[in-house]
């Protein structure tokens, strides 16, 4: 069987923005009894996918290689994000995914045709809890008062547009095309003594800071990462103060 589906599932979020869809069909084949899969957690699944004419196009079961991804990061097609959330370990689900929650008019890999509705059978094997914490505005105020290292990872144009939280450090992580700042690691090392130090990340709405929190805690060995869950827009909407951005030296994208 083909081995490219996991890559396509991961790359699809670059093509299709998350949006409310009413046509996704979810049917529990077998209810699980273990831990529930929630946003922010990494799930391990076995899956098989078919076109609606019965053609099997991929199966982790056939390869004997489970697939894992983190819910809420939009690194899989939207139909998977919606369809796997709420499953319990040991459960199996059938998903009928319409084209606009799958690969749309582009299709995929020469095997999934344009505008294809897909059927998946997914078995949830394991759920791994996220290794970072989410906080709201009240907790952020406490972190600031305690002197925690808070990093605003947005772009310079965003800092100028909204202002920034007083006391936060300004270090861009992504540009508008999703490219990573090559100097981010070096800048981070100047702000924290080591991976055990507390690190609070904030962006516009919490999406980018969650991706970075996930990476730092799971791949880079950081043990005390905190994500401001709803970002600076929630902070401003809650009536909290911001200050004009003072752009740092050697500012990326400035």
């Amino acid at each position: 069987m083909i081995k490219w589906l996991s890559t396509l599932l991961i790359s699809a979020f670059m093509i299709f923005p998350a949006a409310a869809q009413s046509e996704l069909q979810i049917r529990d084949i077998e209810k699980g009894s273990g831990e529930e899969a929630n946003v922010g957690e990494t799930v391990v699944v076995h899956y098989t996918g078919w076109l609606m004419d019965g053609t099997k196009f991929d199966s982790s079961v056939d390869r004997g290689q489970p697939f894992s991804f983190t819910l809420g990061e939009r690194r899989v097609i939207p139909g998977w994000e919606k369809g796997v959330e709420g499953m319990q370990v040991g459960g199996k689900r059938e998903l009928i995914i319409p084209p606009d929650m799958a690969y749309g008019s582009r299709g995929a890999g020469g095997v999934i045709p344009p505008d294809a509705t897909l059927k998946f059978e997914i078995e949830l094997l394991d759920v791994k809890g996220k290794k970072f914490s989410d906080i709201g505005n009240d907790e952020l105020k406490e972190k600031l008062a305690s002197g925690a290292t808070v990093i605003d990872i947005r772009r310079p144009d965003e800092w100028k547009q909204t202002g920034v939280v007083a006391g936060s450090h300004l270090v861009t992580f992504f540009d508008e095309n999703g490219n990573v700042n090559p100097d981010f690691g070096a800048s981070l090392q100047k702000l924290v003594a080591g991976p055990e130090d507390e690190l609070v990340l904030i962006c516009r709405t919490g999406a980018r800071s969650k991706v970075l929190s996930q990476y730092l805690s799971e791949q880079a060995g950081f043990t005390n990462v905190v994500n401001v869950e709803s970002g600076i827009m929630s902070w401003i909407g809650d009536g909290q103060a911001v200050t004009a951005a003072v752009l740092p030296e050697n500012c990326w994208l400035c």
Side-chain angles (χ1 to χ4, degrees):
M1 300 305 296
I2 54 179
K3 299 183 179 180
W4 44 259
L5 180 64
S6 60
T7 301
L8 290 172
L9 286 165
I10 290 172
S11 63
F13 87 110
M14 298 293 292
I15 303 171
F16 302 105
Q21 303 289 344
S22 60
E23 301 178 36
L24 174 66
Q25 298 177 43
I26 300 173
R27 180 175 70 88
D28 284 309
I29 300 171
E30 185 176 325
K31 287 280 191 179
S33 59
E35 187 172 353
E36 183 176 295
N38 296 302
V39 171
E41 297 175 323
T42 298
V43 296
V44 182
V45 301
H46 259 320
Y47 67 88
T48 300
W50 297 269
L51 302 179
M52 294 309 290
D53 65 3
T55 301
K56 184 194 295 186
F57 57 82
D58 195 24
S59 175
S60 68
V61 179
D62 293 347
R63 292 194 302 274
Q65 297 176 350
F67 174 63
S68 63
F69 67 98
T70 301
L71 283 167
E73 288 189 352
R74 295 173 57 196
R75 293 182 177 272
V76 295
I77 57 176
W80 272 47
E81 286 277 11
K82 297 290 186 182
V84 173
E85 184 178 354
M87 288 185 71
Q88 290 180 271
V89 171
K92 289 184 180 181
R93 274 185 180 175
E94 178 185 85
L95 307 179
I96 306 296
I97 303 178
D100 51 4
M101 297 190 75
Y103 299 101
S105 61
R106 297 181 62 170
V111 177
I112 298 175
D115 299 314
T117 296
L118 306 178
K119 181 170 78 170
F120 284 95
E121 183 175 300
I122 298 177
E123 179 182 7
L124 183 59
L125 304 176
D126 193 14
V127 173
K128 301 177 181 179
K130 61 187 179 183
K131 297 182 179 180
F132 63 92
S133 58
D134 288 313
I135 62 171
N137 295 331
D138 290 339
E139 293 91 344
L140 177 56
K141 285 189 285 187
E142 294 174 1
K143 297 293 184 185
L144 290 165
S146 70
T149 300
V150 178
I151 301 180
D152 188 324
I153 67 170
R154 296 178 298 154
R155 301 186 306 272
D157 61 303
E158 294 177 288
W159 297 332
K160 292 178 181 178
Q161 181 183 44
T162 65
V164 299
V165 176
S168 61
H169 301 275
L170 310 184
V171 186
T172 300
F173 183 56
F174 289 124
D175 69 11
E176 61 183 0
N177 296 315
N179 299 308
V180 175
N181 177 1
D183 297 322
F184 183 84
S187 298
L188 183 59
Q189 289 180 1
K190 295 177 182 178
L191 297 174
V192 294
E196 71 285 348
D197 285 5
E198 184 175 47
L199 181 61
V200 182
L201 303 174
I202 187 170
C203 66
R204 182 177 176 83
T205 62
R208 282 170 285 176
S209 55
K210 178 168 286 189
V211 171
L212 181 55
S213 296
Q214 188 82 29
Y215 172 77
L216 291 176
S217 60
E218 294 195 354
Q219 304 295 325
F222 282 75
T223 59
N224 198 2
V225 181
V226 179
N227 174 50
V228 181
E229 187 170 20
S230 298
I232 197 167
M233 298 310 294
S234 173
W235 176 265
I236 294 171
D238 198 29
Q240 304 300 325
V242 294
T243 186
V246 178
L247 299 183
E249 295 183 6
N250 302 318
C251 172
W252 192 53
L253 304 180
C254 292

